[in-house]
Amino acid sequence: MTSAVIDVAIVGAGPVGTLLAAELARLGVAAAVIEQRAEAGGGSRAVGIHATALAAMEASGATDRLLADALRVRVGEARRRGRTLGEVRFDRLHARHPFVATLPQ
Ligand SMILES: Cc1cc2nc3c(=O)[nH]c(=O)nc-3n(C[C@H](O)[C@H](O)[C@H](O)COP(=O)(O)OP(=O)(O)OC[C@H]3O[C@@H](n4cnc5c(N)ncnc54)[C@H](O)[C@@H]3O)c2cc1C
């Protein structure tokens, strides 16, 4: 059995856990991710990557790489039988990236 010294244990390898692990690694902090699922997969729920997530990934350079291929959704609309029921304006966000980024999954 081998042992390693870690500073941080992260429970869960979802988007938050993996981003935290990547950021800690970038900053030189030893972290271990503990995930209950044996395998990755099961379908993506990352339809849209929001402004706060884009900001959180910026220091690592991941945001620039992601935006190189992403579609930038500035307005979301709910429609029924040709009638617009409502809209969400991402372009009014006071954020560096005022849109939702989507990529082929
Ligand atoms: C249909 C659908 C579509 C969505 N679309 C979007 C979208 O487009 N954009 C968006 O930003 N969000 C979307 N979401 C929300 C998105 O799922 C959450 O924002 C995101 O998954 C939260 O990440 P998380 O890491 O906090 O949690 P999770 O993704 O839930 O990850 C938690 C992880 O921890 C593991 N875990 C839990 N308990 C333990 C334990 N005790 N020990 C070990 N491992 C454990 C789980 O197995 C899991 O892998 C969507 C959700 C759904 C249901």
Side-chain angles (χ1 to χ4, degrees):
M1 188 174 136
T2 58
S3 62
V5 176
I6 60 161
D7 298 311
V8 179
I10 300 165
V11 179
V16 172
T18 48
L19 174 61
L20 178 58
E23 281 297 286
L24 289 172
R26 189 175 63 80
L27 298 169
V29 178
V33 180
I34 301 157
E35 169 57 50
Q36 65 186 355
R37 291 178 298 166
E39 293 173 8
S44 173
R45 293 181 296 183
V47 179
I49 302 162
H50 292 265
T52 46
L54 293 169
M57 293 188 291
E58 196 141 35
S60 69
T63 297
D64 283 344
R65 292 199 300 276
L66 191 151
L67 290 180
D69 289 326
L71 175 71
R72 299 166 193 215
V73 179
R74 298 178 193 279
V75 181
E77 275 187 10
R79 288 188 195 155
R80 183 171 182 267
R81 292 180 185 156
R83 199 175 130 233
T84 301
L85 302 177
E87 67 174 21
V88 183
R89 303 294 305 249
F90 301 112
D91 58 351
R92 291 187 185 155
L93 290 171
H94 297 287
R96 190 163 136 72
H97 305 292
F99 47 79
V100 174
T102 71
L103 285 166
Q105 300 290 309

